[in-house]
């Protein structure tokens, strides 16, 4: 265990804040050797500026953000032009990012409609381009390592009861996005 998380994608409200701030304080009392975070998805977009906008951040040591630019929502600007703001002055971990692809499906990298490995790889490349411009980014966690069963995933052609965001197929076979992330992590410490 490297970090404790108190929640995932909760909606800001006074009751939520009270409960989760109390949880964060409790976790700090139980284990003062590890940092506390939460995976948030409440950010504000204004043109090419993304502002972390969740009141829970004040109680966290590290801010986690789940975001799927290029997959669930279009890019508001070119990935390399995106600017992230963090009014809480805390380190950021991109706790979820990625796109879905059906292993072995190939074709266009330009459209989400086809669920191709090329599209998934392109979304990852775009994400990594954006990440290079976030000075307070301290970690990344692609969502997710391998495709997994999820009965709520109802697309009859591509999902069939599976979440297909894995870098690996449900059989452990590497998708093109695996190679994108492998290369990123391999060269992460070798920046010019």
């Amino acid at each position: 265990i490297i970090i404790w998380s108190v929640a995932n994608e909760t909606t800001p409200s006074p009751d939520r804040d009270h409960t989760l701030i109390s949880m964060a304080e409790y976790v700090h009392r139980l284990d003062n050797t590890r940092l506390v975070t939460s995976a948030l998805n409440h950010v504000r977009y204004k043109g090419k500026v993304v502002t972390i906008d969740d009141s829970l951040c004040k109680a966290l040591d590290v801010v986690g953000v789940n975001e799927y630019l290029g997959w669930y929502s279009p890019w508001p600007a070119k990935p390399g032009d995106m600017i992230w703001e963090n009014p809480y002055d805390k380190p950021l971990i991109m706790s979820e990012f990625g796109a879905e692809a059906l292993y072995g499906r190939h074709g266009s990298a330009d459209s989400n409609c086809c669920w191709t490995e090329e599209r998934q790889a392109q979304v990852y490349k775009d994400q990594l381009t954006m990440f290079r411009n976030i000075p307070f980014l301290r970690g990344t966690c692609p969502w997710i390592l391998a495709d997994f069963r999820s009965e709520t995933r109802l697309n009859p052609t591509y999902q069939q009861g599976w979440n297909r965001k894995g870098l690996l197929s449900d059989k452990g076979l590497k998708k093109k996005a695996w190679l994108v992330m492998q290369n990123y992590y391999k060269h992460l410490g070798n920046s010019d």
Side-chain angles (χ1 to χ4, degrees):
I1 298 170
I2 59 170
I3 193 167
W4 296 111
S5 181
V6 295
N8 181 56
E9 296 185 0
T10 56
T11 302
S13 73
D15 287 341
R16 187 260 346 218
D17 285 2
H18 174 75
T19 300
L20 295 182
I21 289 169
S22 296
M23 278 177 96
E25 291 169 352
Y26 181 68
V27 170
H28 277 124
R29 286 194 304 274
L30 288 176
D31 182 356
N32 64 6
T33 66
R34 292 185 179 93
L35 302 173
V36 176
T37 192
S38 179
L40 310 170
N41 63 349
H42 195 77
V43 296
R44 188 171 11 97
Y45 296 96
K46 186 173 183 180
K48 65 181 182 178
V49 178
V50 183
T51 304
I52 297 170
D53 187 26
D54 194 309
S55 52
L56 181 59
C57 292
K58 63 186 174 221
L60 304 175
D61 300 309
V62 176
V63 175
V65 171
N66 297 349
E67 65 83 17
Y68 290 93
L69 285 169
W71 181 246
Y72 289 130
S73 59
W75 288 95
K78 291 180 182 177
D81 293 340
M82 298 296 293
I83 298 168
W84 279 69
E85 295 179 344
N86 184 353
Y88 299 95
D89 195 31
K90 307 240 175 136
L92 169 67
I93 294 176
M94 206 58 74
S95 42
E96 286 185 24
F97 64 99
E100 294 195 60
L102 184 61
Y103 175 79
R105 182 159 176 78
H106 297 287
S108 174
D110 298 328
S111 173
N112 290 347
C113 71
C114 300
W115 295 59
T116 65
E117 287 189 49
E118 288 79 9
R119 178 61 185 159
Q120 183 187 40
Q122 185 59 54
V123 169
Y124 272 96
K125 290 174 187 175
D126 290 344
Q127 290 279 332
L128 298 177
T129 296
M130 177 180 68
F131 293 168
R132 287 185 193 96
N133 295 330
I134 306 175
F136 48 89
L137 182 66
R138 296 294 178 264
T140 60
C141 185
W143 186 259
I144 191 164
L145 179 61
D147 291 350
F148 63 93
R149 294 289 293 158
S150 179
E151 294 302 323
T152 61
R153 301 297 174 156
L154 302 176
N155 183 297
T157 304
Y158 305 117
Q159 290 174 316
Q160 301 172 345
W162 288 83
N163 186 314
R164 299 291 185 190
K165 289 188 192 78
L167 298 172
L168 303 172
S169 74
D170 56 293
K171 306 285 189 236
L173 302 169
K174 296 174 184 174
K175 299 179 190 177
K176 289 184 177 286
W178 168 276
L179 301 173
V180 171
M181 291 309 300
Q182 180 184 44
N183 187 54
Y184 171 73
Y185 288 126
K186 182 178 177 181
H187 295 96
L188 192 59
N190 301 330
S191 59
D192 295 328

